[in-house]
Amino acid sequence: MQGLMMDVPLSITSVMRHAERNHAEREVIALTADGGLKRQTYTETFRRARRLANALARLGLAPGDRGATLAWNDSRHMELYYAVSCAGYVLHTLNPRLPPRQIAWIAHHAGDRCLFADPEFAPLVAAITPQLPELRTVIFLADPRGMPVSGPENALCYEQLLEPESEHFDWPALDERSASSLCYTSGTTGDPKGVLYSHRSTVLHAMAANMADVMGTRSTDCVLPVVPMFHVNAWGTPYFAPMAGAKLVLPGRRAGDPATLCDLIDGEQVTLSLGVPTVWLALLQYLEQTGRRLPGLARVVVGGSACPEAIIDAFRDRHGIEVHHAWGMTETSPLGSFNTPRAGDERLPETDRRQRRASQGRAVFGIELRIVGDDGREQARDGRSCGALQARGPFVASAYYAPDGLVTAQHREWFDTGDVAAIDAAGYMRITDRTKDVIKSGGEWISSIELENLAVAHPAIAEAAVIAAQHERWGERPLLIVVRERGCTAQRDEILQFLAGRVPGWWLPDDVIFVEGIPHTATGKIDKRALRREYAEVLRQRPSADPLLSMR
Amino acid sequence: MQGLMMDVPLSITSVMRHAERNHAEREVIALTADGGLKRQTYTETFRRARRLANALARLGLAPGDRGATLAWNDSRHMELYYAVSCAGYVLHTLNPRLPPRQIAWIAHHAGDRCLFADPEFAPLVAAITPQLPELRTVIFLADPRGMPVSGPENALCYEQLLEPESEHFDWPALDERSASSLCYTSGTTGDPKGVLYSHRSTVLHAMAANMADVMGTRSTDCVLPVVPMFHVNAWGTPYFAPMAGAKLVLPGRRAGDPATLCDLIDGEQVTLSLGVPTVWLALLQYLEQTGRRLPGLARVVVGGSACPEAIIDAFRDRHGIEVHHAWGMTETSPLGSFNTPRAGDERLPETDRRQRRASQGRAVFGIELRIVGDDGREQARDGRSCGALQARGPFVASAYYAPDGLVTAQHREWFDTGDVAAIDAAGYMRITDRTKDVIKSGGEWISSIELENLAVAHPAIAEAAVIAAQHERWGERPLLIVVRERGCTAQRDEILQFLAGRVPGWWLPDDVIFVEGIPHTATGKIDKRALRREYAEVLRQRPSADPLLSMR
């Protein structure tokens, strides 16, 4: 028997309508390229989105066509977020930090029909457009004076495009499962993969984000996403902020500069901000150096990579700012887990509390997380057992986008995150490794990341990498590769001794290799593939002490 | 183009799974009939729900069958909420406070197959079962010692029913639009009407409720619903509390007693409680009399009828408790609007701030509200224009339940709430009347409620009712009917004089009728239908001053 409730779709259009009806005068503030602040209300923002929707129709876009952006966080990008998706097209946010060749590959793969770009990306646009025959129109996000001198011929000016259009536009009724936006994830292996969000997934993700124990956004909040709008929709900020009626501050291209960030947070009374650890580290250092304070900033959300505990502690103890650790991926929209203290945590011993605080938090409602072993069976939620982390839910990707409706790499009931994690009885999840880096030894999993973190705590070690070396008896055994601090001469046994008390005996690396430097990937991570190519075989023929003997 | 996101349904089962995985040890506490407290965790609660689901299958229920309850707020009722809906049946919460004849009518109309009742309702059950041939089984919510001595033959014992069952049950995969629960609304006219909620509407409503600016429930909260679980699903508490991981305190049959309520709030450290104004008035009086304090109670949600400002002020000023005014109906799941201060409200003059605070609040995300005039056109959102209040959204009813799939009174795109309201530019909605009571005079709407509230402020008036009297020229004109305070002799002109400065001239009642008593409905409201039958014609032949003349 079916329920008798209205069949009203979950659409991004409904977020816009809600903000217009209930938060009309709240502001969207953008830092412009010249350092000024552009202020407009949600009403004005969505009025401009209507003009843009009329313009998009005039440009000849058909339902489902991809409209791409190469843009920083600002109010025109916000207008695109709503006009493109709510008019029935698909917003494709390109990452301008990728190599031009990769951007062209992605734009071609996505079949982008038009491209909206900040003027500063004119050289990049000029470089990629020749490779994009299906791209019909380039529009620079500028007024006539701000148009770039170079750039493709026939490029249009955003403000001129909007100028003649009507502020009235009848947003179409959309199927909630229709595509709203597209974001490519560039893994370390293979081609980039496109995640195609739906209106439904986007709205549910924003609702989940606004719950009190997650972002907890209120109409009295002022939100500043440092995370770029081309990076998984700025973690949902362009949707959850208007849904809650929060003021939105968009830092343009200057978000990486701590002085600018500090000015914006202070000047606009930002209460909630989101970004990667490096941003917060830089801001903390700036605050220390200048003695400035940010009394209005209440919450900082950290994601993208693990956040050092020192950052969490410094924000809380020295600035009264609560840091929430979040975990997610492009494929999870991205909010997968979020760290907020749970009832009863305050009664735990300090070490357990710290461990929970430093963890990636608990699954947000809408996401189910589990860990599975090599045999695909779910592992115990005891905080110690590790397994491959899997996710499912209405805002988790089911497949990657492929042209012509071909679907690649269908995820079945669960999505494999590629992370290795432990989950405790209270649901706190701790990422311990990447699946491809974890060391599988005698049926047990050893975390390369934990060994590396312990190793660099040795005063003689400047950098450390742990890889899985092949082993005849144990399958794999950990191999520690280290760069010594200048002038230090610590030897193998001293380093293993140092680790011995701190990890289970069978985790102890079989050997230590001293190198002058460790290779890194383009994004600054340790290049473990290169290390494995070089060192994976060094242990194979070597006998090793029975590591399981020392487990007792 | 369709998005590529997982097709995971929004189901009540997912709420249960989320609580089990992330909030296993949070407690559900119920006050038992003997005054003791029964404590069980969410894990235990849902384990018992699995046993119950096995028992329901053994009782021979088929998908979509209605399982009814006659029960107070306690943990067995909570088990029924999950077992019945998640196993694919429909939970039908009957209101034991209705006349037995009406309960029998509703249970027959719903086609209830089994009935779970608190033992104290045994006489009621005995009275109605003869009229319910399709009812197969009666189960009393008790252990063997608690079984009623009277009651239908063959009635089963809940604990005996569960005892032999397995704790394992594979919850079925459900279509998110399938029916989950059924609740009848007994309007003042016509037969009761059944609202048939879906899994989807229930989950979306709970997500909307948990947003920071609505209930804002956190895992650190402890929620006590005074509102009964047979009254629109206790406003969603049985769903939103486990979704957030909040502790749940269920006050059994004793919720109406302020001393018990105070003990529970204090003893269990309740942070959030929900109920109708009379409950809070009684609690306030009890606190005044005893000098007790409730330092842990942070938020109180008031709905069901308009909350006097004195209650809001007393809670805030004398007890530091924030009162949130909410509005909704059975047909809106029920949360339609919720009052939380908005950014900028603190800068308003005190009178405007008070008006906003006393209003029914702003639409929650998921509900759209609008007001329309007699011609069906939307009225201005200016805080002054009044119109018939309409609602739409994914948790608003589209029709009422009818046996055999017949659908009665299909609501088209908007649901008519039957209320008259004004909405201001910031979205604050103020109910001014019921559609059937508002006085439509010369094309303008006059609020009977506002006139009544002003009239009873006159020291000589004990009770007042304003009805629409028919008028040849103006269509309708307000007629004031009053009961004088004992010993008072105030006359017509004195009373109209008193009102004259307080309302627009054309709102002034055309006459005042003095009566010994005003008739009331069974639920204690003024019976305006009876008054209209008696007095609607008294003005028809009478000339009246041109009311529009005094508008200037």
Side-chain angles (χ1 to χ4, degrees), chain A residues 404-421:
Chain A
D404 309 319
L406 291 169
V407 161
T408 56
Q410 187 89 38
H411 320 311
R412 280 176 301 273
E413 221 190 320
W414 291 85
F415 167 72
D416 274 307
T417 65
D419 281 323
V420 176

Side-chain angles (χ1 to χ4, degrees), chain A residues 1 6-7 177 200 213 219, chain B residues 7 176-177 179 213 219 396:
Chain A
M1 186 161 61
M6 284 186 181
D7 193 13
R177 290 172 200 267
R200 171 185 166 94
D213 261 352
S219 77
Chain B
D7 193 15
E176 70 181 36
R177 290 172 201 267
D213 260 352
S219 78
V396 176

Side-chain angles (χ1 to χ4, degrees), chain B residues 7-133:
Chain B
D7 193 15
V8 175
L10 301 172
S11 69
I12 295 171
T13 323
S14 68
V15 177
M16 175 166 53
R17 250 188 339 245
H18 182 79
E20 283 185 307
R21 283 208 157 125
N22 300 284
H23 307 287
E25 298 307 311
R26 282 302 259 171
E27 285 177 311
V28 178
I29 288 157
L31 191 64
T32 57
D34 61 6
L37 287 176
K38 188 160 76 176
R39 297 178 173 277
Q40 58 191 40
T41 63
Y42 278 123
T43 300
E44 288 159 348
T45 303
F46 297 133
R47 202 177 281 155
R48 282 170 58 86
R50 285 186 174 80
R51 294 165 71 154
L52 177 53
N54 280 312
L56 293 170
R58 191 159 51 89
L59 289 176
L61 259 62
D65 272 358
R66 272 73 66 209
T69 63
L70 271 173
W72 300 112
N73 292 8
D74 81 359
S75 46
R76 291 189 184 112
H77 209 171
M78 183 76 178
E79 291 154 19
L80 281 157
Y81 259 68
Y82 282 83
V84 175
S85 297
C86 298
Y89 316 117
V90 177
L91 179 81
H92 177 202
T93 48
L94 286 161
N95 180 350
R97 288 179 181 149
L98 294 176
R101 202 171 42 84
Q102 200 168 23
I103 297 176
W105 187 94
I106 291 172
H108 173 67
H109 187 263
D112 294 334
R113 286 306 171 91
C114 59
L115 170 61
F116 293 81
D118 280 341
E120 69 171 277
F121 297 125
L124 174 57
V125 172
I128 63 172
T129 42
Q131 302 165 61
L132 301 171

Side-chain angles (χ1 to χ4, degrees), chain A residues 449-468:
Chain A
I449 294 175
E450 286 188 33
L451 283 174
E452 287 160 6
N453 287 344
L454 286 169
V456 293
H458 189 289
I461 298 182
E463 190 171 18
V466 173
I467 62 161

Side-chain angles (χ1 to χ4, degrees), chain B residues 203-222:
Chain B
V203 171
L204 290 173
H205 179 264
M207 292 181 82
N210 276 340
M211 289 205 210
D213 260 352
V214 188
M215 300 291 172
T217 329
R218 293 175 174 276
S219 78
T220 46
D221 272 316
C222 174

